[in-house]
Amino acid sequence: MAALFFLAQTLRIAIPYLFAAAGGVVSERAGLIGLTLEGYMLGGAFAAAIGSYYGHSAWMGVLAGIAGGALLAAIYGASAIRFRADQVVTGIAINLLAIGTTRFFLRLAFGSSSNSPRVSGFGGEHAGPGFNALVMNPMIWLGLAAIPLVAWMLYRTSFGLRIRAVGEHPAAAVSVGIGVTFVRYRAVILSGILAGLGGVYLTLDQHQFTDQMTAGRGFIALAATIFGRWDPLRVGLACLLFAAAETLQIQLQGTQLIPSQFVEMIPYVLTIVALAGVVGRAVPPAALGKITD
């Protein structure tokens, strides 16, 4: 029974990582650094609260969250592709923009600087804490499908081939008639949609938006993207590994056998150790971070 509860908790925690990491794979395979995943998630989470609250429907929240993530991704795309801004600096700016704008509009829309009112979600109070809640929540199924769908798109469709081409050798892609700029815009907006859905899941699962509720999940998803070496299936396994570490942290806090400060470090220490073992051996897409004519 304890093992089933651990598995259920791991899956619930992994969903936002899976959404965001799927977006990170798409963005980085197209040559655009995925440092903005945190901002996309936060924008999607806030937009989901607005849509669900004023639209009186969880599905309206999903649509609004998709739009929120896509909007921030379009801003990043225009800055990095059209105006050739430094992608690291722009990524940090997008994350700060998401923090500032969600805090401002949270006060404007709901009169609070900390959280929104309760909003519609999936499942409701009668779903329970275990596998019943997972089965009744369509966001769980979408999250589990995100990585396989991205893998299928990258390796089985012409659009995926174009993404890989512009991320590895944009000059060669141009020589065969591929519109590099158009492909990158589509990829980065798809990345924003996927990461935004990660934020949507957080809001609808908790039935409210709270200030900075993503709490670094976008950065962990980026770490999973690198740890998985930009291969969707490996990235998905990395997300599950980090989610399991977070679940272990939560369960150890309840036992009080280890000081809480050390327990809270577990997911982040695992992230550092994982990346330390990968950096230097993993080969990123050749054109990652480079925008050329």
Side-chain angles (χ1 to χ4, degrees), residues 19 40 71 78 113 131 158 167 173 176 216 226:
F19 274 127
Y40 298 161
L71 176 61
S113 59
F131 278 99
S158 58
V176 295
I226 299 170

Side-chain angles (χ1 to χ4, degrees), residues 256-283:
Q256 297 183 343
L257 296 175
I258 304 173
S260 61
Q261 296 88 344
F262 292 102
V263 173
E264 291 172 1
M265 292 167 55
I266 290 175
Y268 306 102
V269 170
L270 176 61
T271 302
I272 293 171
V273 170
L275 289 181
V278 151
V279 172
R281 292 186 296 167
V283 180

